[in-house]
Amino acid sequence: MSRTRWRLGLSATAFLVAAGLVPAPAHAEDVTDYAITVDPAAKGPKIDDTMYGVFFEDINRAADGGLYAELVQNRSFEYSTADNSSYTPLTSWTVDGTARVVNDEGRLNERNRNYLSLGAGSAVTNAGYNTGVHVEAGKKYDFSVWARADAGTALTVSLQDTDGTLAPARKVPVRKGGWARYELTFTATRTSSAGRLTVASSAAAALDMVSLFPRDTFRGEPNGLRKDLAEKVAALHPGFVRFPGGCLVNTGSMEDYSEASGYQRKRSYQWKDTVGPVEQRATNANFWGYNQSYGLGYYEYFRLSEDIGAMPLPVVPALVTGCGQNQAVADEVLLRRHIQDTLDLIEFANGPASSTWGKVRARMGHAKPFHLTHIEVGNEENLPNEFFARFKEFRAAIQAKHPEIQVISNSGPDDSGTTFDTAWQLNKDAKVDMVDEHYYNSPQWFLQNNDRYDSYDRGGPKVFLGEYASWGNSFKNGLSEATFMTGLERNADVVKLASYAPLFANEDYVQWRPDLIWFNNHASWNSANYEVQKLFMNNVGDRVVPSTATGTPSLLAPITGAVGLSTWATTAAYDDVKVTDADGRALLTDDFSSGASQWTHTGGGAWSVQDGQYVQTDVNAENTMVSAGDPSWHDYDLKVKATKKAGKEGFLVAFGVKDTGNYYWWNIGGWNNTQSAVEQAVDGGKSTLISKAGSVETGRTYDVDVKVRGRQVTLYLDGQEWGSFKDDKPAEPFRQVVTKDRKTGELIVKVVNAQDSAARTAIDLGGAKVASRARVTTLAAAPDAVNSETSTAVAPVTSTFDGVAGKFSYTFPANSVTFLRIRQR
């Protein structure tokens, strides 16, 4: 597509250079020309106030040790090998003297199974999270403990670090008799992030629920939230809060925590476990490899949503496990119980204080309803038919009793493929209100898919984009997500809700990245992605104003690259590799009879030639890539024989290999041997191009054939065509959307320039009468810039621009997101 040349007015250039937003271009090639045309007379889709929200899942220690302000780790001595193989009931505690954890009839209550038996003259010390217990000079900290003693005793409670006392030690008299709760307050004399809390007893005593809470929580609430983390969420002004998961919702046992079920620790997240007095809440094994105390539970989620003016959006299990477990629970009684639990949840949120579950809410301190309007059933189920059969039963029961509640379904864990297509068809046929889509892809994918929702059925179910992110927390990731978000807004009649995920990551306990907000025990910082989300969430507007912009020509150059072999948590053998060009001439042949000298090992694992085959022998290694050939190869056939030896998955055959971060591979028997897919890696971030359900048999040899022609790829397995795709979508670096703010009367022109050259742009407002001055917010940084605890490389810069007219020019900086708020006359 040709581009029209425009000349930027001198005053505009001078302003931007003076503001430090645009360097004066040294060469003509540093500036690319674009045009934006706005049609203010046309009416685009309405944007709901709830368009953008947040998704909270307890991953990366987001709850205990994170948003939940409790400073004591393993406060109830409930840690178990069920949570993590390294755990014991005394994890994070050290003992001076004698102490043992007991599980007997003397416990605090039936759901709080363990307690500590502390010997006379003994003490226990808690290490907190990260480097220790964090306290700040002059601030108050509330200590509490449940204790009992056969004879009267006194507990001595102290706070210290390696440099000495952090607060004067206090004594707590414990009277003779049964369990009772004791409290005191410390005022810290010094600031430290390496504190330790010690509880000593002069005589034998039993302890449970040893707690230390900062008085200064978010909104000052008891059992409250860590202030700086909650304030960062509030600053986004999210329209909704999705919780509690995620994989927490649809993994593990669907049984309850009771004697009848054997007090199962690896359970799905069930809301009734998480309400009521904290000392009576059940503990659970977190799917991500640690313990969750449920001190932060459904009541606290509802309160957070209310406090920040967001719609609560809870997710309940559908009795089909996901996240690699993929089992459908066939227990009608259990299904009925979970459906009733969901109805009870609605009553807990919305029922009068006189109702059974409304009374529980009122006793917790909130007599008024929480005004729940949406509920999601299930999360990323890979068994769409089994899931949907159960979903329909949940929906029928909810609609019969609560027709005002919108029930949300989902489309599995990927942006495309067999599961996705099947789930969407089931949702359409059943006229589901809204479908939750999830995907994590490379920045390239987001740049290529700005138009994803342009072709969605306007009369079908609406979309809830409940989880999405590009792979990384640098500014180039935020830029790619920003280009995609312009497409979300343009399609606001289809995409009704959207939330980046995950929300939090404790830097010392990371199971998943990227993440929106990073923290440790004493500080928190916004990722580059957070700054992008905040800019969009605080400048949404009420309606889209249709606009168009110069586009990028389609890709014409052929796919080029070498070939590769790899495995993932599997041992596999490869043999008879042949690469031929389009005319049948041999580029590479290797039967490994003379070793593997043609191959370069760039990944993990252990490769060797055994019995005339090239074998990867480490069953635990992931991404064990070996490659061969010329990165300039194009238009070729790759054939190889592949045999799985042992392990969780199948095998990986790569093509178009440029380097360790840029390639395509056919992942045959991936995702715990449940599906096969072609994935594209760009700068290390992967996205799925085509996928189908399927598995690989151990010990069977498969003939794999990949045919690359131009940008078309066709794949054959055992001589049968498995699938094909054409990778010819351009990665659009320059995207825009325009919205109108009804309250202020402003046009909000939102432009993303995700390239290394400035974008000199002619903007035609279509005859709109506008003021000459615009308010400008710009995010501009190097593509690889990353925010950290000590450096904020990506931060918004606000300014004004005086050159606005019906037609005007503006140069958008290289690698930038810019919002112009233009007042209409």
Side-chain angles (χ1 to χ4, degrees):
M1 186 180 296
S2 64
R3 293 191 177 132
T4 306
R5 291 256 165 208
W6 295 84
R7 186 176 300 277
L8 181 65
L10 178 62
S11 60
T13 302
F15 170 78
L16 289 166
V17 172
L21 297 179
V22 180
H27 304 287
E29 61 267 22
D30 292 335
V31 180
T32 307
D33 291 309
Y34 287 90
I36 294 174
T37 302
V38 183
D39 186 358
K43 183 177 284 190
K46 180 180 180 296
I47 306 177
D48 296 338
D49 292 339
T50 52
M51 174 72 180
Y52 295 121
V54 295
F55 165 48
F56 180 92
E57 179 176 6
D58 187 0
I59 184 173
N60 309 315
R61 287 280 190 184
D64 295 334
L67 185 62
Y68 186 47
E70 174 65 76
L71 298 174
V72 176
Q73 185 175 176
N74 190 18
R75 67 183 178 186
S76 194
F77 311 101
E78 296 290 339
Y79 276 27
S80 163
T81 53
D83 310 324
N84 188 295
S85 60
S86 68
Y87 282 1
T88 75
L90 280 171
T91 291
S92 80
W93 293 93
T94 55
V95 176
D96 182 7
T98 60
R100 61 189 179 92
V101 175
V102 182
N103 180 347
D104 64 15
E105 296 304 317
R107 64 180 65 88
L108 181 59
N109 59 66
E110 282 302 303
R111 290 160 69 82
N112 195 330
R113 308 291 292 168
N114 290 348
Y115 65 94
L116 184 75
S117 176
L118 188 62
S122 299
V124 286
T125 298
N126 191 265
Y129 295 93
N130 300 91
T131 55
V133 175
H134 174 70
V135 295
E136 295 180 31
K139 290 194 173 182
K140 295 183 181 298
Y141 297 85
D142 293 324
F143 169 85
S144 65
V145 63
W146 284 81
R148 64 172 172 80
D150 294 334
T153 185
L155 303 178
T156 301
V157 187
S158 57
L159 269 172
Q160 66 284 320
D161 63 10
T162 55
D163 292 330
T165 299
L166 293 171
R170 302 283 304 279
K171 285 193 177 295
V172 180
V174 176
R175 55 186 176 270
K176 176 181 177 181
W179 290 102
R181 186 171 186 267
Y182 300 90
E183 302 175 349
L184 59 84
T185 298
F186 288 107
T187 299
T189 55
R190 287 191 295 113
T191 295
S192 174
S193 296
R196 298 292 187 266
L197 175 74
T198 298
V199 181
S201 182
S202 58
L207 307 180
D208 206 344
M209 296 295 291
V210 182
S211 173
L212 187 68
F213 249 90
R215 179 76 59 85
D216 188 20
T217 59
F218 182 61
R219 297 175 67 92
E221 293 172 354
N223 195 54
L225 307 181
R226 181 170 146 176
K227 189 175 183 181
D228 63 324
L229 296 183
E231 285 178 343
K232 288 187 183 301
V233 178
L236 293 169
H237 295 110
F240 64 88
V241 179
R242 178 179 182 252
F243 61 88
C247 288
L248 302 187
V249 167
N250 67 337
T251 54
S253 168
M254 299 293 164
E255 300 286 353
D256 62 1
Y257 192 62
S258 68
E259 184 177 8
S261 65
Y263 295 103
Q264 294 191 39
R265 285 291 290 268
K266 293 187 174 182
R267 308 184 310 284
S268 64
Y269 196 110
Q270 300 174 46
W271 78 270
K272 288 180 180 177
D273 288 342
T274 76
V275 298
V278 290
E279 70 274 8
Q280 295 177 16
R281 299 183 190 181
T283 192
N284 202 4
N286 182 293
F287 173 81
W288 298 106
Y290 51 90
N291 177 272
Q292 47 193 352
S293 71
Y294 288 148
L296 175 59
Y298 256 77
Y299 177 79
E300 289 75 27
Y301 290 128
F302 279 124
R303 283 298 300 266
L304 171 63
S305 301
E306 181 180 66
D307 287 345
I308 63 178
M311 176 181 80
L313 204 166
V315 186
V316 298
L319 275 72
V320 177
T321 59
C323 301
Q325 297 182 359
N326 302 332
Q327 297 291 324
V329 178
D331 185 330
E332 188 65 23
V333 173
L334 195 56
L335 176 62
R336 293 293 142 205
R337 194 267 286 175
H338 275 267
I339 290 173
Q340 185 58 51
D341 280 355
T342 303
L343 298 175
D344 292 344
L345 171 60
I346 297 170
E347 183 176 281
F348 176 79
N350 293 351
S354 58
S355 64
T356 301
W357 287 101
K359 188 179 299 181
V360 173
R361 181 193 70 239
R363 281 201 300 264
M364 294 183 72
H366 202 281
K368 294 181 179 179
F370 282 117
H371 306 296
L372 178 68
T373 58
H374 293 65
I375 198 163
E376 184 173 354
V377 177
N379 171 76
E380 292 189 9
E381 281 73 23
N382 252 321
L383 303 173
N385 291 297
E386 292 85 345
F387 159 73
F388 206 74
R390 289 155 179 77
F391 171 83
K392 288 192 295 185
E393 296 200 49
F394 276 85
R395 184 176 68 160
I398 294 169
Q399 290 181 339
K401 192 166 185 179
H402 298 284
E404 74 281 3
I405 299 293
Q406 189 169 103
V407 186
I408 301 171
S409 180
N410 77 81
S411 59
D414 301 307
D415 61 85
S416 61
T418 304
T419 296
F420 179 87
D421 293 340
T422 301
W424 255 107
Q425 192 60 53
L426 291 167
N427 284 306
K428 286 180 180 179
D429 292 345
K431 294 181 170 54
V432 168
D433 289 333
M434 190 176 293
V435 178
D436 187 3
E437 293 188 355
H438 293 180
Y439 37 82
Y440 298 89
N441 288 319
S442 68
Q444 172 102 346
W445 185 94
F446 284 93
L447 293 173
Q448 289 176 318
N449 284 275
N450 177 272
D451 63 349
R452 175 179 176 86
Y453 297 106
D454 290 3
S455 59
Y456 269 51
D457 180 4
R458 266 50 200 169
K462 303 305 180 185
V463 172
F464 170 24
L465 183 48
E467 296 185 33
Y468 75 97
S470 68
W471 291 113
N473 273 143
S474 66
F475 190 47
K476 68 183 176 185
N477 299 99
L479 286 169
S480 71
E481 291 152 7
T483 67
F484 192 72
M485 292 171 79
T486 66
L488 299 182
E489 291 192 8
R490 188 175 64 252
N491 290 284
D493 55 331
V494 170
V495 183
K496 307 305 289 184
L497 307 168
S499 50
Y500 180 102
L503 181 59
F504 287 118
N506 185 319
E507 66 173 352
D508 292 334
Y509 307 93
V510 180
Q511 291 86 37
W512 182 278
R513 62 180 74 224
D515 304 286
L516 203 63
I517 300 168
W518 288 79
F519 66 93
N520 51 37
N521 67 349
H522 63 274
S524 57
W525 54 98
N526 305 331
S527 67
N529 318 65
Y530 174 98
E531 295 297 348
V532 167
Q533 292 289 323
K534 184 179 179 183
L535 187 56
F536 274 85
M537 292 167 80
N538 283 276
N539 295 276
V540 180
D542 303 288
R543 186 174 292 277
V544 175
V545 180
S547 63
T548 58
T550 309
T552 300
S554 295
L555 299 175
L556 299 175
I559 292 172
T560 60
V563 299
L565 308 170
S566 190
T567 59
W568 197 285
T570 302
T571 64
Y574 295 94
D575 203 356
D576 295 334
V577 180
K578 296 179 182 178
V579 182
T580 54
D581 68 14
D583 296 323
R585 291 188 295 264
L587 300 174
L588 171 73
T589 59
D590 203 337
D591 62 5
F592 303 105
S593 59
S594 301
S597 60
Q598 299 185 78
W599 298 83
T600 300
H601 185 191
T602 55
W607 290 86
S608 61
V609 175
Q610 300 179 9
D611 300 323
Q613 297 178 312
Y614 202 20
V615 185
Q616 198 291 114
T617 57
D618 186 343
V619 74
N620 297 311
E622 299 177 346
N623 194 1
T624 65
M625 180 83 82
V626 290
S627 60
D630 190 329
S632 67
W633 280 352
H634 61 88
D635 295 291
Y636 58 77
D637 290 351
L638 163 63
K639 295 184 178 182
V640 61
K641 294 184 181 296
T643 308
K644 174 182 175 178
K645 296 288 191 179
K648 297 178 180 179
E649 307 208 344
F651 30 82
L652 297 149
V653 177
F655 54 97
V657 179
K658 298 184 184 303
D659 52 45
T660 56
N662 295 275
Y663 54 85
Y664 302 80
W665 68 18
W666 188 4
N667 187 347
I668 306 171
W671 295 271
N672 286 327
N673 206 15
T674 61
Q675 61 179 308
S676 299
V678 176
E679 298 176 281
Q680 181 185 19
V682 178
D683 294 334
K686 289 198 289 290
S687 55
T688 300
L689 303 182
I690 180 174
S691 68
K692 294 183 179 181
S695 60
V696 168
E697 297 176 27
T698 301
R700 174 183 166 187
T701 298
Y702 292 81
D703 289 319
V704 180
D705 184 357
V706 180
K707 187 183 297 292
V708 181
R709 294 293 184 273
R711 302 203 69 82
Q712 177 77 38
V713 179
T714 308
L715 307 114
Y716 300 87
L717 194 62
D718 288 337
Q720 300 296 313
E721 184 174 331
W722 177 87
S724 64
F725 66 93
K726 191 172 186 179
D727 182 23
D728 63 349
K729 292 189 72 172
E732 294 278 9
F734 184 88
R735 289 291 84 192
Q736 95 304 330
V737 69
V738 180
T739 64
K740 183 176 181 179
D741 187 324
R742 184 179 64 251
K743 184 176 180 180
T744 65
E746 292 172 308
L747 293 175
I748 312 173
V749 180
K750 312 174 187 183
V751 178
V752 186
N753 181 27
Q755 58 190 337
D756 292 333
S757 58
R760 183 168 49 203
T761 307
I763 301 175
D764 184 345
L765 296 179
K769 304 298 182 183
V770 293
S772 61
R773 173 173 290 187
R775 291 186 291 144
V776 184
T777 305
T778 305
L779 290 170
D784 293 329
V786 176
N787 288 347
S788 67
E789 179 182 354
T790 57
S791 173
T792 306
V794 182
V797 174
T798 59
S799 58
T800 58
F801 173 62
D802 293 323
V804 179
K807 293 182 179 181
F808 67 102
S809 296
Y810 193 96
T811 295
F812 295 96
N815 301 304
S816 68
V817 185
T818 306
F819 280 26
L820 303 170
R821 295 191 70 112
I822 301 171
R823 184 167 51 84
Q824 291 183 283
R825 290 178 174 173

